[in-house]
């Protein structure tokens, strides 16, 4: 999955069964924020992206929030219309 690959990029190893449970919506939110279509909605620089990754690895709060079901629905509709 995408989050397993992202874990590999961060740690250099594929996650084991226990670590797969840790791959949560926060990591997905960080990745999605980094890959936003609109450059203005992405991280402003690599340092901000790195800070969120380091905070996530340390178990601290990050600057982005996971997208809600309504948010995903809105994004899907906007993508299809736009």
């Amino acid at each position: 999955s995408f989050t397993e690959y992202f874990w590999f990029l961060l740690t250099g190893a594929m996650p084991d069964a226990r670590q797969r449970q840790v791959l949560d919506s926060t990591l997905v939110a960080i990745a999605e924020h980094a890959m936003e279509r609109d450059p203005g909605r992405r991280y402003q620089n690599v340092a901000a992206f790195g800070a969120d990754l380091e905070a996530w690895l340390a178990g601290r709060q990050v600057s982005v929030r996971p997208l809600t079901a309504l948010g995903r629905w809105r994004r899907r509709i906007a993508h299809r219309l736009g």
Side-chain angles (χ1 to χ4, degrees):
S1 76
F2 175 76
T3 52
E4 289 174 349
Y5 178 70
F6 205 65
W7 178 271
F8 175 77
L9 291 176
L10 291 174
T11 66
M14 290 303 288
D16 60 26
R18 183 188 62 79
Q19 291 167 328
R20 281 188 186 97
Q21 295 173 351
V22 176
L23 299 176
D24 61 10
S25 59
T26 303
L27 181 58
V28 172
I30 292 169
E32 287 177 343
H33 189 68
M35 298 184 305
E36 281 281 352
R37 251 178 216 255
D38 177 7
R41 296 185 58 155
R42 294 182 201 147
Y43 286 101
Q44 294 301 307
N45 53 49
V46 174
F49 179 46
D52 264 358
L53 290 174
E54 288 176 1
W56 180 81
L57 285 170
R60 297 188 315 264
Q61 187 173 4
V62 299
S63 67
V64 295
R65 297 284 170 260
L67 204 55
T68 64
L70 179 60
R72 287 188 189 285
W73 180 80
R74 284 181 179 165
R75 179 183 283 173
R76 211 172 281 138
I77 296 298
H79 178 70
R80 289 184 180 165
L81 294 177

